[in-house]
Amino acid sequence: MELARSWRQACLLSSLAGVLASALGLVASYYLGLRPGGTIVLMAIALLLVAFASRRLARGA
């Protein structure tokens, strides 16, 4: 799955996704009383699913 057009853009997008998954996971774990490690992993999986869905919708399938 290609979301980036260059190596630099791929590195920036992956860094942004990691920071976003970590921040969302920590906030969700705080408010929901969950363990942070698993919550961060679930947020990363959710971001991956969103990326798959957006790519599929962009292609018009």
Side-chain angles (χ1 to χ4, degrees):
M1 172 171 70
E2 287 185 36
L3 295 177
R5 296 181 183 173
S6 67
W7 175 255
R8 182 177 184 206
Q9 191 177 21
C11 289
L12 290 173
L13 285 175
S14 62
S15 296
L16 179 65
V19 169
L20 186 62
S22 297
L24 290 175
L26 288 174
V27 169
S29 69
Y30 177 77
Y31 285 110
L32 299 174
L34 302 171
R35 294 184 182 211
T39 309
I40 292 170
V41 170
L42 289 175
M43 291 297 166
I45 291 171
L47 285 175
L48 180 64
L49 293 175
V50 167
F52 279 140
S54 67
R55 265 317 257 187
R56 189 169 187 151
L57 289 175
R59 288 186 178 180

